[in-house]
Amino acid sequence: MITLPACRTVLGEYAAYQLAHISHRVTGCAEAVALVTPYDHAHRPTYLSFRHDPGQPWQALAGERAVLDDAIHAAGWETRVVGMGAPELAALLEMAEAV
């Protein structure tokens, strides 16, 4: 895994992960959207949504989206939480906390 903080990108073994959107609410909550681009061209890039509540770890939200606007909307409204999945995502979200 290679982290590129200036580009807000993490290069993993099977895909590149880029922070596509980050927003902070007045309540202290944060929402992030990551663009996942597989190196295998048989799979298309997708957006994953995440939420962070104060004092809690980042939570991966259910569903993959093909459109950034849909993923941003999901970050604010999706209630289903899923497992984080890849260590690359955890490294990417650490970058989001620094933004």
Side-chain angles (χ1 to χ4, degrees), residues 2-45:
I2 299 170
T3 58
L4 304 168
C7 301
R8 300 184 335 172
T9 302
V10 175
L11 302 177
E13 185 175 352
Y14 301 105
Y17 303 83
Q18 185 174 25
L19 192 58
H21 173 81
I22 182 82
S23 64
H24 299 276
R25 295 182 180 249
V26 295
T27 60
C29 297
E31 298 157 354
V33 175
L35 172 62
V36 181
T37 306
Y39 301 138
D40 174 5
H41 296 291
H43 297 94
R44 64 183 176 160

Side-chain angles (χ1 to χ4, degrees), residues 49 51 59-63 65 71 73-81:
S49 303
R51 184 175 303 124
Q59 296 177 323
L61 303 173
R65 277 118 183 136
H73 178 76
W77 298 103
E78 181 62 61
T79 58
R80 297 171 296 154
V81 177

